[in-house]
Structure formats: structure tokens, C-alpha cells
Amino acid sequence: MSVHVEAYYQRYGPQVLRRCRFLLRDEEQAVDAMHDVFVQLLRYQAALKDTAPSSLLHQIATRVCLNRLRGTKRRPEDRDDEIVLRIAASGDLEARTAARGLLDRLFGRVPASSRDIAVLHLVDGMTLEETAREVGLSVSGVRKRLRALSAVLQELEAA
């Protein structure tokens, strides 16, 4: 069964826009990114299944926004943007590299859905109940995944 893009736009558009606003911090870019999300959905609608649409749209929105942010870093709008980006990127490279490596090892040991749960709950600030609804698990299932992530992280930090 293919997805119903117009119905998804009506139902999930506000959620996708909130995600884009959160990541891009710019209303105009967020609206553009939201539309790009639904263009992606239109492009691949025949291949998509009608299961967990909220989670799928959240993932697409995140990728679209991160790609936009990466593009901005490569080609800043003006000289001031370039300076700000250089200052932002001049942090402790070694610490960022170590953190990135730790996250790669952490997420390599757990199901991909656990990564989504961590982002929804810990980064996006969703409650356990909202996260559970989003990923199609019970609240206790979400808690269990978060505890497992915490245990793996403690194990990795101890190593």
C-alpha cells in the first residue's frame, strides 16, 4: 500500500514544521525544509509502506535539515556567516572527535530504533509517553531501551 501524501501533509505537517524549526532556527528555512520533506515523500511514495508515518517523517525532516545545515557550512550566505561558522567550528576538535567516536560505538551496539528513541526523548525533549507513541512502543519499552543505552554507554566509558 502506498502512502497518502496529502493526508500526511494535513496530519503531520505541523509536527514536521516543529522539527524543522527546532533544527534550523529560522522560520523561512524551516518552511522550505518542511516542503522538501513532503517532496521526498511524493518522490518515493510508491516504495513506502503506510506504517509508522510519524517516525518516517521525523527521520526525513532530520536528514533534510541536517543536509541544509551542512550545505550552509560549506557555502555561507555572507562574510559574517562565514566568520560565525568558523568560530563555531573552532571548538576542541579532539573532544568532538572522541564524542563522535563514542556515539558511533554506542549506536553500533543497539537497535537503530534505540537511536530514534534517544533523539526524541533526550534531544527533542519529548516525554516518555510521546516518545512511546512516536515509535510504537509502550512507555516501559521506551524506558527499557533508554536503560539499555545508558548501560552500554557506561560500559563504553569504562573501557
Side-chain angles (χ1 to χ4, degrees):
M1 176 192 324
S2 68
V3 298
H4 308 284
V5 177
E6 187 174 341
Y8 283 5
Y9 185 82
Q10 294 298 319
R11 181 167 181 196
Y12 299 106
Q15 173 188 331
V16 170
L17 182 57
R18 276 192 308 275
R19 179 66 178 157
C20 294
R21 281 179 182 142
F22 176 78
L23 291 170
L24 297 172
R25 310 252 190 256
D26 178 273
E27 184 67 20
E28 188 176 314
Q29 283 195 28
V31 171
D32 287 347
M34 177 194 66
H35 290 134
D36 286 349
V37 168
F38 287 97
V39 167
Q40 291 288 325
L41 205 60
L42 275 170
R43 186 174 292 144
Y44 299 106
Q45 76 180 19
L48 299 174
K49 303 220 184 309
D50 198 17
T51 58
S54 180
S55 181
L56 171 67
L57 288 167
H58 188 271
Q59 290 174 4
I60 295 171
T62 300
R63 287 188 193 114
V64 165
C65 291
L66 291 178
N67 285 339
R68 281 177 172 261
L69 289 170
R70 285 185 203 108
T72 301
K73 286 181 182 177
R74 284 194 294 267
R75 54 186 182 314
E77 296 295 318
D78 60 33
R79 179 88 174 120
D80 291 340
D81 287 346
E82 183 179 349
I83 292 168
V84 169
L85 288 170
R86 208 168 346 127
I87 291 169
S90 71
D92 185 0
L93 180 62
E94 186 177 327
R96 281 198 325 258
T97 302
R100 202 171 283 131
L102 181 63
L103 286 174
D104 287 344
R105 289 193 318 271
L106 170 66
F107 290 132
R109 292 185 176 194
V110 297
S113 59
S114 292
R115 178 188 63 225
D116 296 339
I117 289 168
V119 169
L120 291 171
H121 184 64
L122 302 172
V123 176
D124 293 346
M126 288 184 159
T127 65
L128 291 171
E129 292 80 12
E130 291 169 331
T131 303
R133 260 194 320 274
E134 196 71 29
V135 297
L137 291 174
S138 66
V139 172
S140 63
V142 169
R143 278 192 188 108
K144 181 179 177 182
R145 294 281 186 94
L146 290 170
R147 278 194 303 269
L149 274 171
S150 181
V152 171
L153 182 59
Q154 288 175 359
E155 176 186 314
L156 288 171
E157 287 179 326

